[in-house]
Amino acid sequence: MSTIPDVVPHSWRVLPAPPVPASADEPDAWAYAGMAEVSRRVELATWGWPDLHMPTPVLLPTLRTTPYRESAVWVAVRGDAATTPTAEDVVGYGLVHLPLAANTHLAEVEVEVLPGHEGAGAGTALLRAVEDHARAAGRTTVTTYTSHSPEPEPGPGALTAPTGTGRAPADARPVRFARRHGYALEQVERYSVLHLPGDPGARADLLADARAAAGEEYRTHTWRDDVPAQWYDDLAVLFTGMSTDVPLGGLAIEEDRWDADRVRASIARTRSRHQHVLLTAAEHVPTGRLAAFTWLQVPEPDVPFAFQQDTLVLREHRGHRLGMLVKAVNLDAFTAWRPGERRIHTWNAQENDHMLAINVALGFRQEGVAAAWQRTGL
C-alpha cells in the first residue's frame, strides 16, 4: 500500500523520468510506479473504482517508443524527498505522446496531481514541461482530456462543447486549469459502463435481429490474440478509418494510415502490456473482404473489467446492422470466455448517435464524460 501523504507538500520539484526500464522490478521504475499510483488515486476519486489506471507492468510497455509514437514523462516529487526519490515521493506527473507516422503537428498530453496536493503549482510546472517538450519537437497543437462524473445538467454551471452535445462542469478544477492555460473545449465523449451479465435475453434478441438484417452476405469471425495474417490488410483499412470516420468535433486530427505490419505490431504490443485482444469482424461474403470490426481489450489477469475499444463499419456497408452484429457477437464471446459479474468500459463522442444507440440497447449506461481540450499555436 502506498505511503504517499495526504497533505499538500510545502515544496516540490519536477524531474524528467528515467528512460523506461525493462521491468517494474528495476530501480529506475520508481517514477513510473509513482505515476501509476497517482493515476490510481485520481481514478478512484473520480469514479469510485480504479479500473482505468495502468499498473506499472502495463504502463511501461505502453510508454516504449515505437515507429508510430514516442512518449516522455516528468514527475513532481516532494521537496523533501531524498536525492534519489522513490515512488512514494511522487505527487504528480506530466505525460506527452508524440505521434510519428501521422499527425506530426500534434502532441497529446496528460497532467495529473495526487488528490490533496492540488493548488500548489505542481500541475502548472508539469504542464509547462510537457508543452516545452512538444514545442521543441515542432508540435503546434496540443490535446488533452479531463474526466467528470456525473455529466452536469444544462445551465450556467455547465460548459457545452461546440458540437452542441455533451457538457463539462465549468467550475471543476481540471476545467478551470485547462481554460486558464489556453485550452478550448472541442468535444465531449460519453463514458459508459456495461455491468455484466446484463440482460442476456435482450442481447440474444438484438443479435438475432442483426443477423437477419445482415443476411447471408455477411458472416462473422472472432479471434482472441491470434488473428490470421490473411486479414491484416483488411484490418488495416478498418483501423485507418477509425482515425477520421468517427466524429472528431473540432480536434485537428488527420488520417493515420495503417498497414498490415502495423496491425501485427499493435496486437503484439497489446499482448506485451499483459492484455488480450478479443476481436470480431464481419466478412462481406461476395468479396471476401472485411466490412466491419470491433474489439475488446481484456487484462490478462482475471480482473472484473475490460475495455470496449474501436468499432467501425465501412461506409459502403452501412445500413445492414453490422455494428450491432459484431458487438453482440464479441460480447457473447467475452461472457463465454470469462463468465461472471464484471464491467466493460467504453467512450463515444456525444454526437455519435448511431453508436450510442447500439451501446444503450446492449445495456451500457452513462457514468460520466471525458472532455477533449485543444490548444493551437503552441
Coordinates of all heavy atoms in Angstrom, one line a residue, residues 269-333:
R269 N 2.0 -5.6 -29.3 CA 2.2 -4.6 -28.3 C 1.1 -4.7 -27.2 O 1.4 -4.6 -26.0 CB 2.2 -3.2 -28.9 CG 2.7 -2.1 -27.9 CD 3.1 -0.8 -28.6 NE 2.0 -0.3 -29.4 CZ 2.0 -0.3 -30.8 NH1 2.9 -0.9 -31.4 NH2 0.9 0.2 -31.4
T270 N -0.1 -5.0 -27.6 CA -1.1 -5.1 -26.6 C -0.8 -6.4 -25.7 O -1.0 -6.3 -24.5 CB -2.5 -5.3 -27.2 OG1 -2.8 -4.1 -28.0 CG2 -3.6 -5.5 -26.2
R271 N -0.4 -7.4 -26.3 CA 0.0 -8.6 -25.5 C 1.2 -8.3 -24.6 O 1.2 -8.8 -23.5 CB 0.4 -9.8 -26.5 CG -0.8 -10.2 -27.4 CD -1.9 -10.9 -26.6 NE -1.5 -12.1 -26.0 CZ -1.4 -12.4 -24.7 NH1 -1.8 -11.4 -23.8 NH2 -1.0 -13.5 -24.2
S272 N 2.1 -7.5 -25.0 CA 3.3 -7.1 -24.2 C 2.8 -6.3 -23.0 O 3.5 -6.3 -22.0 CB 4.3 -6.3 -25.0 OG 3.9 -5.0 -25.2
R273 N 1.6 -5.7 -23.0 CA 1.1 -4.9 -21.9 C 0.2 -5.8 -21.0 O -0.6 -5.3 -20.2 CB 0.3 -3.8 -22.4 CG 1.0 -2.8 -23.2 CD 0.3 -1.4 -23.3 NE -1.0 -1.6 -24.0 CZ -1.2 -1.2 -25.3 NH1 -0.3 -0.6 -26.0 NH2 -2.4 -1.4 -25.8
H274 N 0.4 -7.1 -21.2 CA -0.4 -8.1 -20.3 C -1.9 -7.9 -20.6 O -2.7 -8.0 -19.6 CB -0.1 -7.9 -18.9 CG 1.4 -7.9 -18.6 ND1 2.2 -9.0 -18.6 CD2 2.3 -6.8 -18.3 CE1 3.5 -8.7 -18.3 NE2 3.5 -7.3 -18.2
Q275 N -2.3 -7.7 -21.8 CA -3.7 -7.6 -22.2 C -4.0 -8.4 -23.4 O -3.1 -8.6 -24.3 CB -4.0 -6.1 -22.5 CG -3.8 -5.2 -21.3 CD -3.8 -3.7 -21.7 OE1 -3.5 -3.4 -22.8 NE2 -4.2 -2.9 -20.7
H276 N -5.2 -9.0 -23.5 CA -5.6 -9.8 -24.6 C -6.4 -8.9 -25.6 O -7.0 -7.8 -25.2 CB -6.6 -10.9 -24.2 CG -6.0 -11.9 -23.3 ND1 -5.1 -12.9 -23.8 CD2 -6.0 -12.1 -22.0 CE1 -4.7 -13.7 -22.8 NE2 -5.3 -13.2 -21.7
V277 N -6.4 -9.3 -26.8 CA -7.3 -8.7 -27.9 C -8.4 -9.7 -28.2 O -8.0 -10.8 -28.6 CB -6.5 -8.3 -29.1 CG1 -7.4 -7.9 -30.2 CG2 -5.5 -7.2 -28.8
L278 N -9.6 -9.3 -28.0 CA -10.7 -10.2 -28.5 C -11.5 -9.4 -29.6 O -12.1 -8.3 -29.3 CB -11.7 -10.4 -27.3 CG -12.9 -11.3 -27.6 CD1 -12.4 -12.7 -28.0 CD2 -13.9 -11.4 -26.4
L279 N -11.4 -9.9 -30.8 CA -11.8 -9.1 -32.0 C -12.8 -9.9 -32.8 O -12.6 -11.1 -33.1 CB -10.6 -8.8 -32.8 CG -10.7 -7.8 -34.0 CD1 -9.4 -7.1 -34.3 CD2 -11.1 -8.6 -35.3
T280 N -13.9 -9.3 -33.1 CA -14.9 -9.8 -34.0 C -15.0 -9.0 -35.3 O -15.1 -7.7 -35.2 CB -16.2 -10.0 -33.4 OG1 -16.2 -11.0 -32.4 CG2 -17.3 -10.4 -34.4
A281 N -15.0 -9.6 -36.5 CA -15.1 -8.9 -37.7 C -16.2 -9.5 -38.6 O -16.5 -10.7 -38.4 CB -13.8 -8.9 -38.5
A282 N -16.8 -8.7 -39.4 CA -17.8 -9.2 -40.3 C -17.2 -9.2 -41.7 O -16.7 -8.2 -42.2 CB -19.1 -8.3 -40.3
E283 N -17.3 -10.3 -42.3 CA -16.8 -10.5 -43.7 C -17.9 -10.4 -44.7 O -19.0 -10.9 -44.5 CB -16.1 -11.9 -43.9 CG -15.7 -12.2 -45.3 CD -15.3 -13.7 -45.5 OE1 -15.4 -14.5 -44.5 OE2 -15.0 -14.1 -46.6
H284 N -17.7 -9.6 -45.8 CA -18.6 -9.5 -46.9 C -18.4 -10.7 -47.8 O -17.4 -10.8 -48.5 CB -18.4 -8.2 -47.6 CG -19.4 -8.0 -48.7 ND1 -19.0 -7.7 -50.0 CD2 -20.8 -8.0 -48.7 CE1 -20.1 -7.5 -50.8 NE2 -21.2 -7.7 -50.0
V285 N -19.3 -11.7 -47.7 CA -19.0 -13.0 -48.4 C -18.8 -12.8 -49.9 O -17.8 -13.4 -50.4 CB -20.2 -13.9 -48.1 CG1 -20.0 -15.2 -48.8 CG2 -20.3 -14.2 -46.6
P286 N -19.5 -12.0 -50.6 CA -19.3 -11.9 -52.1 C -17.9 -11.5 -52.4 O -17.4 -11.9 -53.5 CB -20.4 -11.0 -52.5 CG -21.5 -11.1 -51.5 CD -20.8 -11.3 -50.2
T287 N -17.3 -10.6 -51.6 CA -16.0 -10.1 -52.0 C -14.9 -10.7 -51.1 O -13.7 -10.6 -51.5 CB -15.9 -8.6 -51.8 OG1 -16.2 -8.3 -50.4 CG2 -16.9 -7.9 -52.7
G288 N -15.2 -11.4 -50.0 CA -14.2 -12.0 -49.2 C -13.4 -10.9 -48.4 O -12.3 -11.2 -47.9
R289 N -13.9 -9.7 -48.3 CA -13.2 -8.6 -47.6 C -14.0 -8.3 -46.3 O -15.2 -8.4 -46.2 CB -13.1 -7.4 -48.4 CG -12.5 -7.6 -49.8 CD -11.0 -8.0 -49.7 NE -10.2 -7.0 -49.0 CZ -9.7 -6.0 -49.7 NH1 -9.8 -5.8 -51.0 NH2 -8.9 -5.1 -49.0
L290 N -13.2 -7.8 -45.3 CA -13.9 -7.4 -44.0 C -14.6 -6.1 -44.2 O -14.0 -5.1 -44.8 CB -12.8 -7.3 -42.9 CG -12.1 -8.6 -42.6 CD1 -11.2 -8.3 -41.4 CD2 -13.0 -9.7 -42.3
A291 N -15.8 -6.0 -43.6 CA -16.6 -4.8 -43.8 C -16.8 -4.1 -42.5 O -17.2 -2.9 -42.5 CB -18.0 -5.2 -44.3
A292 N -16.5 -4.7 -41.3 CA -16.8 -4.1 -40.0 C -15.9 -4.9 -39.0 O -15.6 -6.1 -39.2 CB -18.2 -4.2 -39.6
F293 N -15.7 -4.2 -37.9 CA -15.0 -4.9 -36.8 C -15.2 -4.2 -35.5 O -15.7 -3.1 -35.4 CB -13.5 -5.0 -37.1 CG -12.6 -3.8 -36.7 CD1 -11.4 -3.9 -36.0 CD2 -13.1 -2.5 -37.0 CE1 -10.7 -2.8 -35.6 CE2 -12.3 -1.4 -36.6 CZ -11.1 -1.5 -35.9
T294 N -14.9 -4.9 -34.4 CA -14.9 -4.4 -33.0 C -14.0 -5.2 -32.2 O -13.6 -6.3 -32.6 CB -16.3 -4.4 -32.4 OG1 -16.4 -3.6 -31.2 CG2 -16.7 -5.8 -32.1
W295 N -13.4 -4.6 -31.2 CA -12.5 -5.3 -30.3 C -12.5 -4.9 -28.9 O -12.8 -3.7 -28.6 CB -11.1 -5.4 -30.9 CG -10.3 -4.1 -30.9 CD1 -10.5 -3.0 -31.7 CD2 -9.2 -3.7 -30.0 NE1 -9.6 -2.0 -31.4 CE2 -8.8 -2.4 -30.4 CE3 -8.6 -4.3 -28.9 CZ2 -7.7 -1.8 -29.7 CZ3 -7.6 -3.7 -28.3 CH2 -7.2 -2.4 -28.7
L296 N -12.3 -5.9 -28.0 CA -12.2 -5.7 -26.6 C -10.8 -5.8 -26.2 O -10.0 -6.7 -26.6 CB -13.0 -6.7 -25.8 CG -14.6 -6.5 -25.8 CD1 -15.2 -7.8 -25.3 CD2 -14.9 -5.3 -24.9
Q297 N -10.3 -4.9 -25.3 CA -9.0 -5.0 -24.6 C -9.3 -5.6 -23.2 O -9.9 -5.0 -22.4 CB -8.4 -3.6 -24.6 CG -7.0 -3.6 -23.9 CD -6.5 -2.1 -23.9 OE1 -6.6 -1.4 -24.9 NE2 -6.1 -1.7 -22.8
V298 N -8.7 -6.8 -23.0 CA -9.0 -7.6 -21.8 C -7.8 -7.8 -21.0 O -6.8 -8.5 -21.5 CB -9.7 -8.9 -22.2 CG1 -10.1 -9.7 -20.9 CG2 -10.9 -8.7 -23.1
P299 N -7.7 -7.3 -19.8 CA -6.5 -7.5 -19.0 C -6.2 -9.0 -18.8 O -7.1 -9.8 -18.7 CB -6.8 -6.9 -17.6 CG -7.8 -5.8 -18.0 CD -8.6 -6.4 -19.1
E300 N -4.9 -9.4 -18.8 CA -4.5 -10.8 -18.7 C -5.0 -11.4 -17.4 O -5.6 -12.5 -17.4 CB -3.0 -10.9 -18.8 CG -2.5 -12.1 -19.6 CD -1.1 -12.0 -20.0 OE1 -0.2 -11.9 -19.0 OE2 -0.8 -11.8 -21.2
P301 N -4.8 -10.8 -16.2 CA -5.3 -11.4 -15.0 C -6.9 -11.3 -15.1 O -7.4 -10.5 -15.8 CB -4.8 -10.5 -13.9 CG -3.7 -9.7 -14.5 CD -4.0 -9.6 -16.0
D302 N -7.5 -12.3 -14.4 CA -9.0 -12.3 -14.5 C -9.6 -11.2 -13.5 O -10.2 -11.6 -12.5 CB -9.5 -13.7 -14.2 CG -11.0 -13.8 -14.5 OD1 -11.5 -12.9 -15.2 OD2 -11.6 -14.8 -14.1
V303 N -9.3 -10.0 -13.9 CA -9.9 -8.9 -13.1 C -11.3 -8.6 -13.6 O -11.7 -9.1 -14.6 CB -9.1 -7.6 -13.3 CG1 -7.7 -7.8 -12.7 CG2 -9.0 -7.2 -14.8
P304 N -12.1 -7.9 -12.8 CA -13.6 -7.8 -13.1 C -13.9 -6.7 -14.1 O -14.9 -6.1 -14.0 CB -14.2 -7.5 -11.8 CG -13.2 -6.8 -11.0 CD -11.8 -7.4 -11.4
F305 N -13.0 -6.5 -15.1 CA -13.4 -5.4 -16.1 C -12.6 -5.6 -17.4 O -11.6 -6.4 -17.4 CB -13.1 -4.0 -15.5 CG -11.6 -3.8 -15.1 CD1 -10.7 -3.4 -16.0 CD2 -11.3 -4.0 -13.8 CE1 -9.3 -3.2 -15.6 CE2 -9.9 -3.8 -13.4 CZ -9.0 -3.4 -14.3
A306 N -13.1 -5.0 -18.4 CA -12.4 -5.0 -19.7 C -12.8 -3.7 -20.4 O -13.6 -2.9 -19.9 CB -12.9 -6.2 -20.6
F307 N -12.2 -3.4 -21.6 CA -12.4 -2.1 -22.3 C -12.9 -2.4 -23.7 O -12.3 -3.1 -24.5 CB -11.1 -1.3 -22.3 CG -10.5 -1.1 -21.0 CD1 -9.6 -1.9 -20.4 CD2 -11.0 0.0 -20.2 CE1 -9.1 -1.7 -19.2 CE2 -10.5 0.2 -18.9 CZ -9.5 -0.6 -18.4
Q308 N -14.1 -1.8 -24.0 CA -14.6 -1.8 -25.4 C -13.8 -0.8 -26.2 O -13.9 0.4 -25.9 CB -16.1 -1.6 -25.4 CG -16.7 -1.3 -26.8 CD -16.5 -2.5 -27.7 OE1 -17.1 -3.6 -27.4 NE2 -15.8 -2.4 -28.8
Q309 N -13.1 -1.2 -27.2 CA -12.3 -0.3 -28.0 C -13.0 0.0 -29.3 O -14.2 0.1 -29.3 CB -10.9 -0.8 -28.1 CG -10.1 -1.0 -26.8 CD -9.7 0.3 -26.1 OE1 -10.1 1.4 -26.6 NE2 -9.0 0.2 -25.0
D310 N -12.2 0.1 -30.4 CA -12.8 0.5 -31.7 C -13.9 -0.3 -32.2 O -13.9 -1.6 -32.1 CB -11.7 0.6 -32.7 CG -10.5 1.4 -32.3 OD1 -10.7 2.4 -31.6 OD2 -9.4 1.0 -32.7
T311 N -14.9 0.3 -32.8 CA -15.9 -0.3 -33.6 C -16.1 0.5 -34.9 O -16.3 1.7 -34.8 CB -17.2 -0.4 -32.8 OG1 -17.1 -1.1 -31.6 CG2 -18.3 -1.2 -33.7
L312 N -16.1 -0.1 -36.0 CA -16.3 0.6 -37.3 C -16.9 -0.3 -38.3 O -16.6 -1.5 -38.5 CB -14.9 1.1 -37.8 CG -15.0 2.0 -39.1 CD1 -15.5 3.4 -38.7 CD2 -13.7 2.1 -39.8
V313 N -17.8 0.3 -39.1 CA -18.4 -0.3 -40.3 C -18.0 0.6 -41.4 O -18.2 1.8 -41.4 CB -19.9 -0.4 -40.2 CG1 -20.5 -1.0 -41.4 CG2 -20.3 -1.2 -38.9
L314 N -17.4 0.0 -42.5 CA -17.0 0.8 -43.6 C -18.3 1.4 -44.3 O -19.4 0.8 -44.3 CB -16.3 -0.1 -44.7 CG -15.0 -0.7 -44.2 CD1 -14.4 -1.6 -45.4 CD2 -14.0 0.4 -43.9
R315 N -18.1 2.6 -44.8 CA -19.2 3.4 -45.3 C -20.1 2.6 -46.3 O -21.3 2.7 -46.2 CB -18.7 4.7 -45.9 CG -18.1 5.7 -44.9 CD -17.7 7.0 -45.6 NE -17.1 7.9 -44.6 CZ -17.8 8.7 -43.8 NH1 -19.1 8.8 -44.0 NH2 -17.1 9.5 -43.0
E316 N -19.4 1.9 -47.2 CA -20.2 1.2 -48.2 C -21.0 0.0 -47.7 O -21.8 -0.6 -48.5 CB -19.3 0.8 -49.4 CG -18.1 -0.2 -49.0 CD -16.9 0.6 -48.5 OE1 -17.0 1.7 -48.0 OE2 -15.8 0.0 -48.7
H317 N -20.8 -0.3 -46.5 CA -21.5 -1.5 -45.9 C -22.5 -1.1 -44.8 O -23.0 -2.0 -44.1 CB -20.5 -2.5 -45.4 CG -19.7 -3.2 -46.4 ND1 -20.2 -4.2 -47.3 CD2 -18.4 -2.9 -46.9 CE1 -19.2 -4.5 -48.1 NE2 -18.1 -3.8 -47.9
R318 N -22.7 0.2 -44.6 CA -23.6 0.6 -43.5 C -25.0 0.4 -43.9 O -25.4 0.3 -45.1 CB -23.3 2.1 -43.2 CG -21.9 2.3 -42.5 CD -21.5 3.7 -42.3 NE -20.1 3.7 -41.7 CZ -19.4 4.8 -41.5 NH1 -20.0 6.0 -41.8 NH2 -18.2 4.7 -41.1
G319 N -25.9 0.3 -42.9 CA -27.3 0.0 -43.2 C -27.7 -1.4 -43.1 O -28.9 -1.8 -43.3
H320 N -26.8 -2.3 -42.7 CA -27.1 -3.7 -42.5 C -26.9 -4.2 -41.1 O -26.9 -5.4 -40.8 CB -26.1 -4.5 -43.4 CG -26.2 -4.2 -44.8 ND1 -27.2 -4.7 -45.7 CD2 -25.4 -3.4 -45.6 CE1 -27.0 -4.2 -46.9 NE2 -25.9 -3.5 -46.9
R321 N -26.9 -3.2 -40.1 CA -26.8 -3.5 -38.7 C -25.5 -4.3 -38.3 O -25.5 -5.1 -37.4 CB -28.0 -4.3 -38.2 CG -29.4 -3.5 -38.5 CD -30.5 -3.9 -37.5 NE -30.1 -3.5 -36.2 CZ -30.8 -4.0 -35.1 NH1 -31.7 -4.9 -35.3 NH2 -30.5 -3.6 -33.9
L322 N -24.5 -4.0 -39.1 CA -23.2 -4.7 -38.8 C -22.6 -4.3 -37.5 O -21.9 -5.1 -36.9 CB -22.2 -4.5 -40.0 CG -22.7 -5.1 -41.3 CD1 -21.6 -4.9 -42.4 CD2 -23.1 -6.5 -41.2
G323 N -22.8 -3.0 -37.1 CA -22.2 -2.5 -35.8 C -22.8 -3.3 -34.7 O -22.1 -3.8 -33.8
M324 N -24.1 -3.5 -34.7 CA -24.7 -4.3 -33.6 C -24.3 -5.8 -33.7 O -24.0 -6.4 -32.7 CB -26.3 -4.2 -33.7 CG -27.0 -5.1 -32.7 SD -26.7 -4.7 -31.0 CE -27.8 -3.3 -30.9
L325 N -24.2 -6.3 -34.9 CA -23.8 -7.7 -35.2 C -22.4 -8.0 -34.5 O -22.3 -8.9 -33.7 CB -23.8 -8.0 -36.6 CG -23.3 -9.4 -37.0 CD1 -24.3 -10.4 -36.5 CD2 -23.2 -9.5 -38.6
V326 N -21.4 -7.2 -34.9 CA -20.1 -7.6 -34.4 C -20.0 -7.3 -32.9 O -19.3 -8.1 -32.2 CB -19.0 -6.8 -35.2 CG1 -19.0 -7.2 -36.6 CG2 -19.1 -5.3 -35.1
K327 N -20.6 -6.3 -32.4 CA -20.5 -6.0 -30.9 C -21.2 -7.1 -30.1 O -20.7 -7.5 -29.1 CB -21.1 -4.6 -30.6 CG -20.3 -3.5 -31.2 CD -20.6 -2.1 -30.7 CE -20.0 -1.9 -29.3 NZ -19.9 -0.4 -29.0
A328 N -22.4 -7.5 -30.6 CA -23.1 -8.5 -29.8 C -22.4 -9.9 -29.9 O -22.3 -10.6 -28.9 CB -24.6 -8.7 -30.4
V329 N -21.9 -10.2 -31.0 CA -21.1 -11.5 -31.1 C -19.9 -11.4 -30.2 O -19.5 -12.4 -29.5 CB -20.7 -11.7 -32.6 CG1 -19.7 -12.9 -32.7 CG2 -21.9 -12.1 -33.5
N330 N -19.2 -10.3 -30.2 CA -18.0 -10.2 -29.4 C -18.3 -10.2 -27.9 O -17.6 -10.8 -27.1 CB -17.2 -8.9 -29.7 CG -15.7 -9.0 -29.7 OD1 -15.2 -10.0 -30.1 ND2 -15.1 -8.0 -29.1
L331 N -19.4 -9.6 -27.5 CA -19.8 -9.7 -26.1 C -20.2 -11.1 -25.7 O -19.8 -11.5 -24.6 CB -21.0 -8.8 -25.9 CG -20.7 -7.3 -25.8 CD1 -22.0 -6.4 -25.7 CD2 -19.8 -7.0 -24.5
D332 N -20.8 -11.8 -26.6 CA -21.1 -13.2 -26.3 C -19.9 -14.0 -26.1 O -19.7 -14.9 -25.2 CB -22.0 -13.8 -27.4 CG -23.5 -13.5 -27.2 OD1 -23.8 -12.8 -26.2 OD2 -24.3 -13.8 -28.1
A333 N -18.9 -13.8 -27.0 CA -17.6 -14.5 -26.9 C -16.9 -14.2 -25.6 O -16.3 -15.0 -24.9 CB -16.7 -14.1 -28.1

